[in-house]
């Protein structure tokens, strides 16, 4: 329901939103045209970081051929990332993996939840490019 809420916000306000996944949760972000950066999005129903309990394991995956190619590029063994230096502000910057566009398009992704003690109890949320959500 939170994803649908943010999709509606994107369409109504004509603004771009994103989802940044963390190891045990996620947060929504809004792109500020004025500041030219992503900012944490919160409203009456969404309050910053959303934490998933430790008893539930979560995994996300970007879907589609374009994302497969990008993931392959990111794992290029010939890139020497040790020489890349980021300042403290860049390190703290919000970097959404999923984009919710004002046009209604969404980066296709899946988010899997399962009980840490029983991996047979799984639930997968899948969102396609048009923003349709399937459980």
């Amino acid at each position: 329901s939170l994803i649908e809420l943010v999709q509606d916000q994107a369409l109504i306000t004509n603004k771009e939103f994103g989802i940044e996944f963390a190891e045990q949760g996620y947060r929504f972000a809004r792109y500020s045209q004025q500041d030219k950066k992503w900012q944490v999005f919160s409203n009456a129903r969404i309050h910053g970081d959303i934490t998933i309990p430790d008893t539930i394991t979560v995994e996300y995956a970007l879907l589609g051929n374009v994302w497969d190619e990008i993931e392959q590029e990111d794992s290029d063994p010939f890139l020497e990332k040790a020489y890349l230096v980021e300042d403290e502000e860049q390190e703290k910057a919000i970097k959404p993996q999923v984009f919710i566009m004002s046009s209604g398009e969404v980066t296709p992704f899946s988010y899997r939840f399962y009980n840490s003690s029983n991996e047979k109890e799984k639930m997968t949320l899948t969102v396609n490019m048009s923003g349709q959500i399937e459980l």
Side-chain angles (χ1 to χ4, degrees), residues 50-61:
I50 297 162
T51 304
I52 306 294
D54 291 336
T55 57
I56 298 173
T57 301
V58 293
E59 300 170 346
Y60 82 91

Side-chain angles (χ1 to χ4, degrees), residues 2-132:
L2 293 179
I3 293 171
E4 289 172 336
L5 175 72
V6 173
Q7 286 176 312
D8 290 345
Q9 281 287 320
L11 289 168
I12 292 167
T13 63
N14 199 32
K15 303 231 184 267
E16 314 307 328
F17 288 80
I19 304 172
E20 182 181 45
F21 295 106
E23 189 172 316
Q24 204 60 29
Y26 57 95
R27 66 180 168 183
F28 291 97
R30 181 182 60 83
Y31 187 74
S32 169
Q33 284 286 62
Q34 184 178 14
D35 298 333
K36 303 289 185 218
K37 66 180 183 177
W38 290 96
Q39 299 173 339
V40 174
F41 173 69
S42 64
N43 67 13
R45 292 188 57 203
I46 300 172
H47 305 285
D49 294 357
I50 297 162
T51 304
I52 306 294
D54 291 336
T55 57
I56 298 173
T57 301
V58 293
E59 300 170 346
Y60 82 91
L62 300 177
L63 304 176
N65 294 337
V66 172
W67 303 111
D68 294 340
E69 291 172 19
I70 290 172
E71 285 177 13
Q72 288 173 3
E73 288 174 14
D74 287 346
S75 62
D76 186 347
F78 298 104
L79 282 177
E80 295 191 31
K81 294 182 181 180
Y83 295 107
L84 298 177
V85 178
E86 292 187 358
D87 65 19
E88 204 171 299
E89 189 174 309
Q90 283 180 318
E91 208 170 282
K92 292 180 183 178
I94 298 170
K95 300 173 187 168
Q97 294 94 344
V98 169
F99 301 100
I100 301 170
M101 309 304 286
S102 59
S103 63
E105 293 177 294
V106 177
T107 306
F109 73 98
S110 69
Y111 199 64
R112 177 176 290 163
F113 303 82
Y114 55 92
N115 185 327
S116 299
S117 61
N118 182 1
E119 291 187 23
K120 291 181 182 179
E121 295 178 20
K122 294 182 185 178
M123 182 172 67
T124 303
L125 174 124
T126 304
V127 180
N128 67 20
M129 187 177 276
S130 64
Q132 293 178 317

